[in-house]
Amino acid sequence: ELVRAKDERSVAAAAAMGLGIMGDHGSMAHLRGVARDGSKGTDLRGYATLALSMLGDRSTLRQLPQQLAGSQGSDVRRSSALSLGLAGQVPMGPALLRTLFTESDDRVRGAAVSSLALTPRRSVLGTLVDVATGPGYPTAMRLDAITALGTLAARGRPSPVEELLDGIHYRTLPSSL
């Protein structure tokens, strides 16, 4: 159980993510409690937030812009930024753009840029191009913008790994591999 694993935060964080990935809607009340419990580590609270977003928890989705702008710790802000992108909500673009230009933590800023690539707003393209090509931006921010643009360009296409593995079945591979 998630609560008993408080001494093993990474295990608890993985458990929280697993509940979201599995689509376990029955765990939403528990995950909400974890996400809001200030005594839990920010990493665990962040992963609980991500899981709730995957489950489509409306109350969590409404709080994401405030969590992103808040001072609850970089793990929570990073998870909030990723959750905004996963939610795919059009109105979330401004919160992510604001984070791109005001956040000091590279990981949070990177999550915001990655999420911008997941949002359906075409208006973010210009901003991403400006950041990617602007020499006045930090290198990490420019690289994140380039990655986001690549994600947008590849949308709807099979991944390079899929293309490489197309038609390859693990039983036909030589045993030396």
Side-chain angles (χ1 to χ4, degrees):
E1 181 172 295
L2 208 52
V3 175
R4 291 187 193 144
K6 69 181 184 180
D7 292 331
E8 300 178 28
R9 285 198 174 139
S10 20
V11 172
M17 279 298 292
L19 293 171
I21 291 168
M22 290 184 332
D24 184 355
H25 288 83
S27 66
M28 287 172 67
H30 180 70
L31 288 167
R32 275 188 216 110
V34 171
R36 294 179 182 140
D37 185 347
S39 70
K40 304 290 184 197
T42 58
D43 54 344
L44 176 55
R45 290 173 46 221
Y47 282 109
T49 298
L50 269 171
L52 286 163
S53 296
M54 285 183 215
L55 294 170
D57 182 50
R58 292 181 194 270
S59 66
T60 298
L61 294 174
R62 281 191 301 272
Q63 293 174 8
L64 290 174
Q66 293 83 16
Q67 285 183 340
L68 183 57
S71 59
Q72 302 180 34
S74 61
D75 289 320
V76 173
R77 290 194 319 277
R78 179 179 175 272
S79 292
S80 297
L82 290 171
S83 294
L84 286 169
L86 288 172
Q89 304 285 329
V90 175
M92 303 303 184
L96 293 169
L97 285 171
R98 198 170 29 258
T99 300
L100 177 62
F101 293 106
T102 61
E103 177 62 48
S104 60
D105 187 305
D106 286 341
R107 295 177 324 121
V108 177
R109 205 171 46 239
V113 171
S114 298
S115 287
L116 281 168
L118 299 173
T119 63
R121 286 185 86 123
R122 303 297 287 164
S123 61
V124 302
L125 280 174
T127 303
L128 291 173
V129 169
D130 289 346
V131 171
T133 60
Y137 294 105
T139 302
M141 184 188 281
R142 293 177 70 198
L143 292 172
D144 288 335
I146 291 167
T147 301
L149 287 166
T151 301
L152 286 168
R155 190 174 278 158
R157 294 187 190 150
S159 73
V161 173
E162 270 184 82
E163 289 180 17
L164 285 171
L165 297 178
D166 188 36
I168 297 176
H169 191 273
Y170 73 94
R171 292 178 192 222
T172 62
L173 293 174
S175 59
S176 62
L177 292 177

PDB file of all heavy atoms in Angstrom, residues 88-97 115-128 152 155:
ATOM      1  N   GLY A  88      -3.986  17.867 -22.025  1.00  0.00           N
ATOM      2  CA  GLY A  88      -4.302  18.328 -23.367  1.00  0.00           C
ATOM      3  C   GLY A  88      -5.341  19.425 -23.410  1.00  0.00           C
ATOM      4  O   GLY A  88      -6.028  19.596 -24.400  1.00  0.00           O
ATOM      5  N   GLN A  89      -5.435  20.182 -22.350  1.00  0.00           N
ATOM      6  CA  GLN A  89      -6.430  21.240 -22.278  1.00  0.00           C
ATOM      7  C   GLN A  89      -5.917  22.478 -22.998  1.00  0.00           C
ATOM      8  O   GLN A  89      -4.845  22.979 -22.694  1.00  0.00           O
ATOM      9  CB  GLN A  89      -6.715  21.600 -20.809  1.00  0.00           C
ATOM     10  CG  GLN A  89      -7.151  20.427 -19.965  1.00  0.00           C
ATOM     11  CD  GLN A  89      -8.566  20.014 -20.237  1.00  0.00           C
ATOM     12  OE1 GLN A  89      -9.385  20.840 -20.578  1.00  0.00           O
ATOM     13  NE2 GLN A  89      -8.857  18.740 -20.108  1.00  0.00           N
ATOM     14  N   VAL A  90      -6.679  22.992 -23.938  1.00  0.00           N
ATOM     15  CA  VAL A  90      -6.289  24.181 -24.695  1.00  0.00           C
ATOM     16  C   VAL A  90      -6.011  25.378 -23.789  1.00  0.00           C
ATOM     17  O   VAL A  90      -5.028  26.085 -23.984  1.00  0.00           O
ATOM     18  CB  VAL A  90      -7.355  24.522 -25.765  1.00  0.00           C
ATOM     19  CG1 VAL A  90      -7.021  25.821 -26.456  1.00  0.00           C
ATOM     20  CG2 VAL A  90      -7.440  23.396 -26.778  1.00  0.00           C
ATOM     21  N   PRO A  91      -6.824  25.643 -22.742  1.00  0.00           N
ATOM     22  CA  PRO A  91      -6.560  26.836 -21.930  1.00  0.00           C
ATOM     23  C   PRO A  91      -5.275  26.775 -21.111  1.00  0.00           C
ATOM     24  O   PRO A  91      -4.904  27.733 -20.491  1.00  0.00           O
ATOM     25  CB  PRO A  91      -7.761  26.899 -20.981  1.00  0.00           C
ATOM     26  CG  PRO A  91      -8.765  25.955 -21.495  1.00  0.00           C
ATOM     27  CD  PRO A  91      -8.054  24.981 -22.374  1.00  0.00           C
ATOM     28  N   MET A  92      -4.592  25.645 -21.101  1.00  0.00           N
ATOM     29  CA  MET A  92      -3.403  25.497 -20.263  1.00  0.00           C
ATOM     30  C   MET A  92      -2.169  26.145 -20.879  1.00  0.00           C
ATOM     31  O   MET A  92      -1.177  26.355 -20.213  1.00  0.00           O
ATOM     32  CB  MET A  92      -3.119  24.018 -19.994  1.00  0.00           C
ATOM     33  CG  MET A  92      -4.263  23.274 -19.357  1.00  0.00           C
ATOM     34  SD  MET A  92      -4.780  24.040 -17.811  1.00  0.00           S
ATOM     35  CE  MET A  92      -6.011  22.880 -17.274  1.00  0.00           C
ATOM     36  N   GLY A  93      -2.193  26.456 -22.163  1.00  0.00           N
ATOM     37  CA  GLY A  93      -1.039  27.040 -22.834  1.00  0.00           C
ATOM     38  C   GLY A  93      -0.461  28.254 -22.146  1.00  0.00           C
ATOM     39  O   GLY A  93       0.751  28.330 -21.948  1.00  0.00           O
ATOM     40  N   PRO A  94      -1.279  29.245 -21.743  1.00  0.00           N
ATOM     41  CA  PRO A  94      -0.707  30.429 -21.086  1.00  0.00           C
ATOM     42  C   PRO A  94       0.064  30.110 -19.801  1.00  0.00           C
ATOM     43  O   PRO A  94       1.116  30.701 -19.562  1.00  0.00           O
ATOM     44  CB  PRO A  94      -1.940  31.292 -20.795  1.00  0.00           C
ATOM     45  CG  PRO A  94      -2.934  30.885 -21.824  1.00  0.00           C
ATOM     46  CD  PRO A  94      -2.701  29.416 -22.045  1.00  0.00           C
ATOM     47  N   ALA A  95      -0.428  29.183 -18.999  1.00  0.00           N
ATOM     48  CA  ALA A  95       0.281  28.828 -17.763  1.00  0.00           C
ATOM     49  C   ALA A  95       1.635  28.208 -18.094  1.00  0.00           C
ATOM     50  O   ALA A  95       2.641  28.483 -17.437  1.00  0.00           O
ATOM     51  CB  ALA A  95      -0.559  27.868 -16.925  1.00  0.00           C
ATOM     52  N   LEU A  96       1.670  27.385 -19.126  1.00  0.00           N
ATOM     53  CA  LEU A  96       2.929  26.756 -19.520  1.00  0.00           C
ATOM     54  C   LEU A  96       3.900  27.776 -20.107  1.00  0.00           C
ATOM     55  O   LEU A  96       5.096  27.738 -19.821  1.00  0.00           O
ATOM     56  CB  LEU A  96       2.651  25.636 -20.529  1.00  0.00           C
ATOM     57  CG  LEU A  96       1.899  24.436 -19.965  1.00  0.00           C
ATOM     58  CD1 LEU A  96       1.429  23.520 -21.087  1.00  0.00           C
ATOM     59  CD2 LEU A  96       2.751  23.674 -18.968  1.00  0.00           C
ATOM     60  N   LEU A  97       3.397  28.684 -20.922  1.00  0.00           N
ATOM     61  CA  LEU A  97       4.262  29.730 -21.483  1.00  0.00           C
ATOM     62  C   LEU A  97       4.831  30.624 -20.389  1.00  0.00           C
ATOM     63  O   LEU A  97       6.009  30.984 -20.409  1.00  0.00           O
ATOM     64  CB  LEU A  97       3.500  30.567 -22.510  1.00  0.00           C
ATOM     65  CG  LEU A  97       3.260  29.901 -23.854  1.00  0.00           C
ATOM     66  CD1 LEU A  97       2.319  30.734 -24.702  1.00  0.00           C
ATOM     67  CD2 LEU A  97       4.569  29.654 -24.582  1.00  0.00           C
ATOM     68  N   SER A 115       5.349  19.836 -22.322  1.00  0.00           N
ATOM     69  CA  SER A 115       3.887  19.879 -22.286  1.00  0.00           C
ATOM     70  C   SER A 115       3.322  20.791 -23.356  1.00  0.00           C
ATOM     71  O   SER A 115       2.243  20.531 -23.886  1.00  0.00           O
ATOM     72  CB  SER A 115       3.405  20.318 -20.907  1.00  0.00           C
ATOM     73  OG  SER A 115       3.611  19.261 -19.991  1.00  0.00           O
ATOM     74  N   LEU A 116       4.035  21.859 -23.677  1.00  0.00           N
ATOM     75  CA  LEU A 116       3.585  22.730 -24.764  1.00  0.00           C
ATOM     76  C   LEU A 116       3.483  21.937 -26.067  1.00  0.00           C
ATOM     77  O   LEU A 116       2.598  22.179 -26.884  1.00  0.00           O
ATOM     78  CB  LEU A 116       4.532  23.914 -24.944  1.00  0.00           C
ATOM     79  CG  LEU A 116       4.357  25.042 -23.936  1.00  0.00           C
ATOM     80  CD1 LEU A 116       5.535  26.012 -24.015  1.00  0.00           C
ATOM     81  CD2 LEU A 116       3.046  25.761 -24.145  1.00  0.00           C
ATOM     82  N   ALA A 117       4.381  20.975 -26.246  1.00  0.00           N
ATOM     83  CA  ALA A 117       4.344  20.155 -27.452  1.00  0.00           C
ATOM     84  C   ALA A 117       3.133  19.229 -27.466  1.00  0.00           C
ATOM     85  O   ALA A 117       2.723  18.764 -28.519  1.00  0.00           O
ATOM     86  CB  ALA A 117       5.621  19.332 -27.569  1.00  0.00           C
ATOM     87  N   LEU A 118       2.562  18.970 -26.299  1.00  0.00           N
ATOM     88  CA  LEU A 118       1.407  18.075 -26.209  1.00  0.00           C
ATOM     89  C   LEU A 118       0.076  18.811 -26.313  1.00  0.00           C
ATOM     90  O   LEU A 118      -0.960  18.188 -26.506  1.00  0.00           O
ATOM     91  CB  LEU A 118       1.444  17.303 -24.877  1.00  0.00           C
ATOM     92  CG  LEU A 118       2.649  16.403 -24.665  1.00  0.00           C
ATOM     93  CD1 LEU A 118       2.638  15.834 -23.253  1.00  0.00           C
ATOM     94  CD2 LEU A 118       2.684  15.284 -25.694  1.00  0.00           C
ATOM     95  N   THR A 119       0.108  20.119 -26.142  1.00  0.00           N
ATOM     96  CA  THR A 119      -1.148  20.870 -26.188  1.00  0.00           C
ATOM     97  C   THR A 119      -1.579  21.068 -27.632  1.00  0.00           C
ATOM     98  O   THR A 119      -0.743  21.160 -28.523  1.00  0.00           O
ATOM     99  CB  THR A 119      -1.023  22.254 -25.506  1.00  0.00           C
ATOM    100  OG1 THR A 119      -0.073  23.021 -26.231  1.00  0.00           O
ATOM    101  CG2 THR A 119      -0.607  22.147 -24.062  1.00  0.00           C
ATOM    102  N   PRO A 120      -2.872  21.145 -27.878  1.00  0.00           N
ATOM    103  CA  PRO A 120      -3.347  21.314 -29.249  1.00  0.00           C
ATOM    104  C   PRO A 120      -3.276  22.754 -29.766  1.00  0.00           C
ATOM    105  O   PRO A 120      -3.734  23.030 -30.858  1.00  0.00           O
ATOM    106  CB  PRO A 120      -4.802  20.839 -29.170  1.00  0.00           C
ATOM    107  CG  PRO A 120      -5.199  21.032 -27.759  1.00  0.00           C
ATOM    108  CD  PRO A 120      -3.947  20.887 -26.946  1.00  0.00           C
ATOM    109  N   ARG A 121      -2.701  23.665 -29.012  1.00  0.00           N
ATOM    110  CA  ARG A 121      -2.617  25.074 -29.436  1.00  0.00           C
ATOM    111  C   ARG A 121      -1.547  25.260 -30.486  1.00  0.00           C
ATOM    112  O   ARG A 121      -0.379  25.025 -30.234  1.00  0.00           O
ATOM    113  CB  ARG A 121      -2.275  25.954 -28.239  1.00  0.00           C
ATOM    114  CG  ARG A 121      -3.397  26.157 -27.286  1.00  0.00           C
ATOM    115  CD  ARG A 121      -2.944  27.145 -26.246  1.00  0.00           C
ATOM    116  NE  ARG A 121      -3.178  28.474 -26.745  1.00  0.00           N
ATOM    117  CZ  ARG A 121      -3.905  29.366 -26.118  1.00  0.00           C
ATOM    118  NH1 ARG A 121      -4.428  29.085 -24.964  1.00  0.00           N
ATOM    119  NH2 ARG A 121      -4.090  30.550 -26.630  1.00  0.00           N
ATOM    120  N   ARG A 122      -1.935  25.736 -31.631  1.00  0.00           N
ATOM    121  CA  ARG A 122      -0.960  26.025 -32.678  1.00  0.00           C
ATOM    122  C   ARG A 122      -0.198  27.313 -32.356  1.00  0.00           C
ATOM    123  O   ARG A 122       0.886  27.538 -32.870  1.00  0.00           O
ATOM    124  CB  ARG A 122      -1.653  26.159 -34.042  1.00  0.00           C
ATOM    125  CG  ARG A 122      -2.464  24.947 -34.451  1.00  0.00           C
ATOM    126  CD  ARG A 122      -1.653  23.705 -34.628  1.00  0.00           C
ATOM    127  NE  ARG A 122      -0.851  23.765 -35.827  1.00  0.00           N
ATOM    128  CZ  ARG A 122       0.167  22.953 -36.066  1.00  0.00           C
ATOM    129  NH1 ARG A 122       0.473  22.028 -35.204  1.00  0.00           N
ATOM    130  NH2 ARG A 122       0.867  23.057 -37.161  1.00  0.00           N
ATOM    131  N   SER A 123      -0.752  28.157 -31.507  1.00  0.00           N
ATOM    132  CA  SER A 123      -0.123  29.441 -31.203  1.00  0.00           C
ATOM    133  C   SER A 123       1.204  29.296 -30.453  1.00  0.00           C
ATOM    134  O   SER A 123       1.968  30.240 -30.398  1.00  0.00           O
ATOM    135  CB  SER A 123      -1.082  30.322 -30.400  1.00  0.00           C
ATOM    136  OG  SER A 123      -1.411  29.692 -29.179  1.00  0.00           O
ATOM    137  N   VAL A 124       1.478  28.125 -29.892  1.00  0.00           N
ATOM    138  CA  VAL A 124       2.739  27.943 -29.177  1.00  0.00           C
ATOM    139  C   VAL A 124       3.910  27.735 -30.127  1.00  0.00           C
ATOM    140  O   VAL A 124       5.058  27.885 -29.732  1.00  0.00           O
ATOM    141  CB  VAL A 124       2.677  26.777 -28.158  1.00  0.00           C
ATOM    142  CG1 VAL A 124       1.585  26.990 -27.146  1.00  0.00           C
ATOM    143  CG2 VAL A 124       2.532  25.443 -28.841  1.00  0.00           C
ATOM    144  N   LEU A 125       3.628  27.420 -31.379  1.00  0.00           N
ATOM    145  CA  LEU A 125       4.711  27.171 -32.337  1.00  0.00           C
ATOM    146  C   LEU A 125       5.663  28.353 -32.457  1.00  0.00           C
ATOM    147  O   LEU A 125       6.884  28.176 -32.415  1.00  0.00           O
ATOM    148  CB  LEU A 125       4.136  26.840 -33.714  1.00  0.00           C
ATOM    149  CG  LEU A 125       3.657  25.425 -33.927  1.00  0.00           C
ATOM    150  CD1 LEU A 125       2.989  25.296 -35.290  1.00  0.00           C
ATOM    151  CD2 LEU A 125       4.786  24.441 -33.783  1.00  0.00           C
ATOM    152  N   GLY A 126       5.110  29.540 -32.612  1.00  0.00           N
ATOM    153  CA  GLY A 126       5.949  30.730 -32.759  1.00  0.00           C
ATOM    154  C   GLY A 126       6.855  30.938 -31.571  1.00  0.00           C
ATOM    155  O   GLY A 126       8.050  31.244 -31.726  1.00  0.00           O
ATOM    156  N   THR A 127       6.316  30.756 -30.389  1.00  0.00           N
ATOM    157  CA  THR A 127       7.116  30.922 -29.176  1.00  0.00           C
ATOM    158  C   THR A 127       8.226  29.887 -29.119  1.00  0.00           C
ATOM    159  O   THR A 127       9.372  30.202 -28.794  1.00  0.00           O
ATOM    160  CB  THR A 127       6.220  30.818 -27.924  1.00  0.00           C
ATOM    161  OG1 THR A 127       5.190  31.794 -28.024  1.00  0.00           O
ATOM    162  CG2 THR A 127       7.020  31.029 -26.660  1.00  0.00           C
ATOM    163  N   LEU A 128       7.900  28.639 -29.438  1.00  0.00           N
ATOM    164  CA  LEU A 128       8.915  27.588 -29.415  1.00  0.00           C
ATOM    165  C   LEU A 128      10.020  27.855 -30.433  1.00  0.00           C
ATOM    166  O   LEU A 128      11.204  27.653 -30.142  1.00  0.00           O
ATOM    167  CB  LEU A 128       8.274  26.217 -29.660  1.00  0.00           C
ATOM    168  CG  LEU A 128       7.378  25.696 -28.544  1.00  0.00           C
ATOM    169  CD1 LEU A 128       6.674  24.416 -28.972  1.00  0.00           C
ATOM    170  CD2 LEU A 128       8.169  25.467 -27.259  1.00  0.00           C
ATOM    171  N   LEU A 152       6.262  17.947 -31.993  1.00  0.00           N
ATOM    172  CA  LEU A 152       5.139  18.450 -32.785  1.00  0.00           C
ATOM    173  C   LEU A 152       5.246  18.003 -34.239  1.00  0.00           C
ATOM    174  O   LEU A 152       4.251  17.621 -34.858  1.00  0.00           O
ATOM    175  CB  LEU A 152       5.076  19.978 -32.717  1.00  0.00           C
ATOM    176  CG  LEU A 152       4.573  20.559 -31.408  1.00  0.00           C
ATOM    177  CD1 LEU A 152       4.832  22.055 -31.364  1.00  0.00           C
ATOM    178  CD2 LEU A 152       3.098  20.265 -31.223  1.00  0.00           C
ATOM    179  N   ARG A 155       4.295  14.297 -34.719  1.00  0.00           N
ATOM    180  CA  ARG A 155       2.961  13.875 -34.286  1.00  0.00           C
ATOM    181  C   ARG A 155       2.250  13.131 -35.416  1.00  0.00           C
ATOM    182  O   ARG A 155       2.218  13.573 -36.544  1.00  0.00           O
ATOM    183  CB  ARG A 155       2.143  15.083 -33.858  1.00  0.00           C
ATOM    184  CG  ARG A 155       0.855  14.689 -33.179  1.00  0.00           C
ATOM    185  CD  ARG A 155       0.136  15.881 -32.628  1.00  0.00           C
ATOM    186  NE  ARG A 155       0.731  16.224 -31.341  1.00  0.00           N
ATOM    187  CZ  ARG A 155       0.643  17.423 -30.798  1.00  0.00           C
ATOM    188  NH1 ARG A 155       0.023  18.386 -31.408  1.00  0.00           N
ATOM    189  NH2 ARG A 155       1.188  17.658 -29.636  1.00  0.00           N
TER     190      ARG A 155
END
